[in-house]
């Protein structure tokens, strides 16, 4: 009986996305904190916690979780881009969680971005008057942002939305990571 349970667990673990599997195994089986797992999977600690939670539900045999609110998330991202383009500081603040965390990979920092920004005011200042070539997109099935001036992909923003506000922005410009992403620009 134990062999059957172990085999079933192995089959379920193999069905998880690699990032889900890593987050689940490291946190739930080895008690590694989400802050330590986040750099391994290339996500924020909040997004890593969500990966482990989703994996946990699947391993425990829970019903498939509801699909993300793509339309609702897109409205938030589109409003963020519009406020950014127009320089609307108050509009940006209204869309950002007070404790928003922005993180950029080393390739993005080489393009002139900061490695990390914490708080709505600092993030709003960083995005005020920008995003001229940015477009909302599906990034690995979640709403985010692509920046592709002249049709050449430069970077993506993986956006975490919680309670209708942007709680996390992960900027990825590393060509190797970008090549592994499934991207689809969302038309207006």
């Amino acid at each position: 009986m134990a062999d059957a349970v172990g085999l079933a667990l192995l089959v379920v673990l193999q069905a998880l996305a690699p990032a889900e599997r890593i987050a689940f195994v490291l946190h739930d089986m080895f008690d590694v904190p989400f802050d330590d797992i986040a750099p391994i999977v290339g996500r924020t600690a909040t997004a890593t916690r969500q990966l482990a939670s989703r994996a946990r539900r699947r391993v425990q045999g829970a019903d498939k979780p509801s699909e993300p609110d793509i339309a609702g998330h897109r409205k938030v991202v589109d409003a963020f881009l519009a406020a950014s383009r127009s320089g609307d500081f108050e509009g940006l603040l209204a869309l950002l969680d007070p404790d928003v965390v922005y993180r950029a990979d080393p390739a993005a920092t080489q393009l002139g971005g900061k490695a990390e920004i914490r708080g709505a005011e600092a993030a709003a200042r960083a995005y005020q008057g920008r995003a001229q070539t940015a477009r909302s997109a599906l990034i690995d099935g979640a709403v985010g942002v692509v920046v592709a001036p002249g049709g050449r992909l430069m970077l993506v923003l993986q956006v975490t939305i919680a309670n209708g506000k942007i709680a996390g922005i992960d900027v990825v410009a590393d060509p190797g990571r970008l090549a592994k992403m499934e991207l689809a620009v969302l038309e207006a």
Side-chain angles (χ1 to χ4, degrees), residues 28-175:
D28 287 32
M29 296 183 175
F30 295 104
D31 204 28
V32 176
F34 290 118
D35 286 333
D36 294 342
I37 301 169
I40 296 169
V41 296
R43 309 269 175 94
T44 65
T46 301
T48 303
R49 183 176 292 109
Q50 291 172 344
L51 287 171
S53 177
R54 185 168 49 236
R56 193 175 305 112
R57 284 191 305 268
R58 291 178 68 187
V59 168
Q60 293 171 347
D63 290 336
K64 183 179 175 186
S66 61
E67 292 296 315
D69 179 10
I70 299 292
H73 290 185
R74 181 170 183 194
K75 284 181 183 178
V76 173
V77 169
D78 286 347
F80 173 79
L81 292 175
S84 176
R85 287 183 191 115
S86 69
D88 181 1
F89 185 77
E90 293 301 320
L92 287 167
L93 280 179
L95 294 162
L96 295 168
D97 182 275
D99 298 319
V100 65
V101 177
Y102 160 102
R103 287 191 178 96
D105 70 10
T109 60
Q110 289 178 357
L111 295 172
K114 292 186 178 187
E116 185 173 285
I117 299 171
R118 290 184 172 272
E121 287 192 20
R125 277 193 297 278
Y127 279 98
Q128 190 176 13
R130 300 189 60 172
Q132 302 306 316
T133 61
R135 299 291 175 256
S136 57
L138 286 180
I139 302 168
D140 293 333
V143 178
V145 176
V146 296
V147 178
R152 184 181 161 271
L153 181 62
M154 179 186 295
L155 56 88
V156 302
L157 281 67
Q158 294 177 302
V159 179
T160 303
I161 298 175
N163 301 318
K165 294 192 179 239
I166 296 175
I169 301 171
D170 290 307
V171 183
V172 179
D174 177 79

Side-chain angles (χ1 to χ4, degrees), residues 140 153 156 172-183:
D140 293 333
L153 181 62
V156 302
V172 179
D174 177 79
R177 287 184 60 202
L178 290 174
K180 294 177 185 174
M181 293 180 174
E182 191 175 314
L183 306 173

